[in-house]
Amino acid sequence: MKIETAALHAGYTPKSGEPRQIPIIQSTTFPYATSEEMGKLFDLEASGYFYTRLQNPTNDYVAAKIAAMEGGAAGMLTSSGQAANFYAVFNIATCGDHVISSSSIYGGTFNLFAVTMKKMGIDFTFVSPDCTEEELNAAFKPNTKAVFGETIANPALTVLNIPLFAKCAHAHGVPLIIDNTFPTPVNCRPIEWGADIVTHSTTKYIDGHAATVGGAIVDAGKFDWMAHKDKFPGLTTPDESYHGVVYAEKFGKEGAFITKCTAQLMRDFGSIQSPHNAYILNLGLESLAVRMPRYVENAQKVAEFLEANEMVTWVNYPGLPSNKYYELAKELMPNGTCGVISFGVKGGRKAAETFMKNLKLGSIETHVADAVTCVLHPASSTHRQMNDEELEAAGVGSDLIRLSVGLENVDDIIADLAQALDAAK
């Protein structure tokens, strides 16, 4: 199926007389006639459901749709994008292991890796998204278990050279994990460029209506875990907590990663997405392929307006020919990138604050990738504890505005930005 069709039909096919829409299976548990039947589920000898903390039919329908849209073999939902990235890494890297990550990633993910997972004994090396092949290869260690990056970084908007990162990861016998939140599978399918695992904060464009927090993991089903048996004992040796099952042997390349992530990590951590949230998420998915072109179209026009405005000192958007990632973005995402732009207001912090106060249409939020236009001035909100020097060092200058262009008429968006910029003169 083409992406537009998969957004509507993948993952769930109703039989005669069954609900057209994915049903909400709002139940914590699933009873069986005999203990033997249930025992087969606990032994992973049969497929089915027994407790929603591990799996739920509603969630699985939606996860299967996302996996199909990404071109993957299997998928699962999590309670948030943070949970998705944690599970994706922790499923193959544990205490004493090492992971390479692009330094240009979402701040919450950076903190998860550099602080929280470091306390768990996992060491991370952060490399520039613009590093050379030689520099990337130099970051590998004998205990490296994965490479991580974001297709388009939030909020830096750097574009990752996925083919290069995949080439180096595979040369060292480890998978590449890509967070594909901003482009979504409509604008980029990282698996086609060499990624092995794809994650999402479905809270963003996939939901698209600021209605529900969630995350997703998709396995390409292509990485040969048994070919690198010594590196991934969690997948290639018996799991004594599940009756000695060897995931890579029993479920193969297509099912090992997601089965372990579900049967082991979701069992123990329980970061499940509620069935009702999954239902809402699916409503967003159905229109994703229609919405993404509009986000891109609006953002392109807004970015061009900003670049020509005398009150704007700089604009960061990969769709602009002046952007350093323009050519790479065109190669990986020929249909466009996303709707998020960052720019600087002439006059620094004071002018940026005046601009924000005069917005009438733009909604001041920490959120991005919504149906409505969202605007944030980090220096006076999320990063207000930092002075101007600290902000510059962190790459978030006091003049920086993060703009997530919505689905409104683009003339209305531009008119609102124009009057707010005029007020900041």
Side-chain angles (χ1 to χ4, degrees):
M1 287 186 278
K2 301 296 185 184
I3 196 81
E4 297 87 351
T5 308
L8 291 164
H9 293 280
Y12 171 70
T13 304
K15 298 174 184 175
S16 181
E18 290 187 341
R20 171 279 198 237
Q21 187 52 265
I22 287 175
I24 305 173
I25 309 300
Q26 194 66 46
S27 180
T28 62
T29 192
F30 304 82
Y32 287 85
T34 67
S35 294
E36 287 74 19
E37 287 181 80
M38 184 175 285
K40 290 179 181 179
L41 299 175
F42 277 92
D43 287 344
L44 301 179
E45 295 294 339
S47 60
Y49 303 91
F50 52 85
Y51 200 57
T52 285
R53 190 180 79 232
L54 280 87
Q55 283 182 288
N56 177 282
T58 307
N59 292 20
D60 283 357
Y61 294 142
V62 180
K65 176 178 286 190
I66 296 173
M69 292 175 72
E70 282 287 5
M76 65 184 289
L77 299 187
T78 61
S79 59
S80 67
Q82 282 288 87
N85 283 334
F86 171 65
Y87 278 24
V89 174
F90 197 63
N91 203 36
I92 50 178
T94 58
C95 183
D97 289 337
H98 173 253
V99 175
I100 296 169
S101 173
S102 167
S103 59
S104 184
I105 55 176
Y106 170 57
T109 307
F110 186 92
N111 193 76
L112 169 68
F113 291 167
V115 179
T116 302
M117 294 187 77
K118 183 178 180 180
K119 293 177 182 176
M120 301 170 74
I122 302 173
D123 182 35
F124 285 81
T125 295
F126 294 94
V127 298
S128 167
D130 306 324
C131 65
T132 64
E133 184 173 347
E134 292 74 19
E135 290 169 335
L136 183 52
N137 280 323
F140 283 85
K141 300 179 181 181
N143 61 337
T144 300
K145 298 300 175 71
V147 179
F148 181 92
E150 294 180 3
T151 313
I152 303 174
N154 175 14
L157 302 180
T158 54
V159 177
L160 193 74
N161 189 334
I162 298 175
L164 173 63
F165 274 65
K167 176 185 176 182
C168 293
H170 297 157
H172 291 270
V174 302
L176 174 63
I177 303 171
I178 292 292
D179 184 326
N180 196 37
T181 295
F182 269 11
T184 81
V186 173
N187 285 344
C188 184
R189 304 215 301 178
I191 290 169
E192 295 176 352
W193 297 102
D196 302 287
I197 311 294
V198 175
T199 63
H200 286 278
S201 169
T202 61
T203 315
K204 309 304 189 299
Y205 286 118
I206 289 182
D207 167 42
H209 299 84
T212 178
V213 174
I217 307 172
V218 174
D219 179 17
K222 297 179 179 180
F223 192 84
D224 192 344
W225 306 104
M226 293 303 292
H228 308 283
K229 186 174 181 179
D230 293 341
K231 275 186 175 290
F232 305 103
L235 285 157
T236 61
T237 61
D239 178 1
E240 299 306 330
S241 73
Y242 248 111
H243 316 288
V245 64
V246 178
Y247 296 102
E249 288 181 352
K250 188 173 182 63
F251 301 101
K253 290 188 292 184
E254 294 80 9
F257 185 89
I258 292 295
T259 302
K260 177 181 180 291
C261 207
T262 302
Q264 190 184 86
L265 298 191
M266 192 62 82
R267 174 198 64 191
D268 294 345
F269 290 103
S271 301
I272 194 74
Q273 188 168 149
S274 81
H276 188 261
N277 281 10
Y279 173 84
I280 295 173
L281 175 60
N282 185 62
L283 297 181
L285 269 170
E286 289 192 342
S287 66
L288 181 64
V290 180
R291 289 186 287 111
M292 288 308 297
R294 178 62 175 265
Y295 286 120
V296 170
E297 179 187 354
N298 280 1
Q300 185 69 32
K301 291 177 180 177
V302 169
E304 290 169 1
F305 158 76
L306 291 170
E307 195 169 48
N309 190 284
E310 63 177 2
M311 278 299 294
V312 175
T313 54
W314 57 270
V315 182
N316 183 15
Y317 184 65
L320 291 173
S322 58
N323 188 275
K324 66 182 290 187
Y325 297 104
Y326 178 72
E327 293 298 333
L328 179 60
K330 276 207 309 183
E331 178 186 356
L332 301 182
M333 293 163 275
N335 295 323
T337 56
C338 64
V340 181
I341 304 168
S342 61
F343 64 95
V345 179
K346 185 178 180 180
R349 180 191 291 263
K350 185 176 179 180
E353 290 176 348
T354 302
F355 166 82
M356 294 295 290
K357 289 175 182 177
N358 283 274
L359 289 169
K360 294 180 173 61
L361 180 66
S363 180
I364 299 175
E365 302 177 14
T366 58
H367 194 42
V368 290
D370 194 355
V372 304
T373 295
C374 309
V375 193
L376 186 73
H377 178 224
S380 60
S381 55
T382 55
H383 293 62
R384 63 183 298 114
Q385 75 279 8
M386 295 182 177
N387 60 38
D388 287 2
E389 290 73 24
E390 290 170 334
L391 287 167
E392 289 294 339
V396 187
S398 61
D399 65 335
L400 184 147
I401 302 292
R402 187 184 70 184
L403 172 65
S404 177
V405 179
L407 300 177
E408 301 93 344
N409 185 290
V410 71
D411 292 338
D412 291 333
I413 299 172
I414 290 174
D416 188 37
L417 296 173
Q419 63 84 24
L421 286 168
D422 284 343
K425 288 182 179 178

